[in-house]
Amino acid sequence: MRNADHPDVDQLRLTDVMSALSDPLRVGIVRLLADGREHAWGELRVPVGKSTLSHHLKVLRAAGITRTREEGTRCYVRLRTDDVEGRFPGLLASVLHAADRDDVGAQVRLAEA
């Protein structure tokens, strides 16, 4: 991924982050990534096609919520917890708490090992 695809912390905008988190599927992806680990895209089990998943991951990346890393033909994604927390203290924790409470994004899972 080019660095331009990942905004710097001071470039994160609340409206972009909130817009990215307005979709239940993207919230589900964020819930999975909240485990602090980097995950291969292929590990994500979502009820959409690959191109739609790619779109959702691009939205999260463009908003600065995730960071994607390419390794050969594989792509890996992780949550930018520290960056988002530094820019918007408490936002991710609040979103994750509400999503857990209301079961938002529960259709997104990790592949069985």
Side-chain angles (χ1 to χ4, degrees):
M1 291 289 126
R2 295 181 321 260
N3 194 32
D5 292 336
H6 299 99
D8 292 331
V9 174
D10 62 343
Q11 295 174 320
L12 301 183
R13 300 288 172 250
L14 181 62
T15 52
D16 294 338
V17 171
M18 296 302 292
S19 178
L21 294 173
S22 69
D23 183 276
L25 192 109
R26 290 192 291 265
V27 171
I29 293 169
V30 169
R31 284 178 71 183
L32 287 181
L33 297 177
D35 68 2
R37 295 178 37 229
E38 180 180 69
H39 293 279
W41 286 17
E43 290 179 58
L44 305 175
R45 294 294 175 251
V46 294
V48 296
K50 288 181 181 181
S51 64
T52 302
L53 173 60
S54 179
H55 166 75
H56 285 296
L57 290 169
K58 181 180 178 182
V59 169
L60 290 169
R61 183 177 65 245
I65 298 169
T66 62
R67 180 167 301 278
T68 299
R69 177 179 67 85
E70 292 180 4
E71 186 176 294
T73 59
R74 300 188 78 185
C75 289
Y76 298 87
V77 62
R78 67 174 174 84
L79 196 60
R80 291 177 62 182
T81 306
D82 292 342
D83 292 343
V84 176
E85 179 65 21
R87 185 80 166 127
F88 310 110
L91 177 65
L92 272 181
S94 295
V95 167
L96 290 168
H97 175 75
D100 287 343
R101 181 193 64 222
D102 298 343
D103 211 23
V104 176
Q107 73 274 31
V108 179
R109 303 196 183 286
L110 288 176
E112 299 291 324

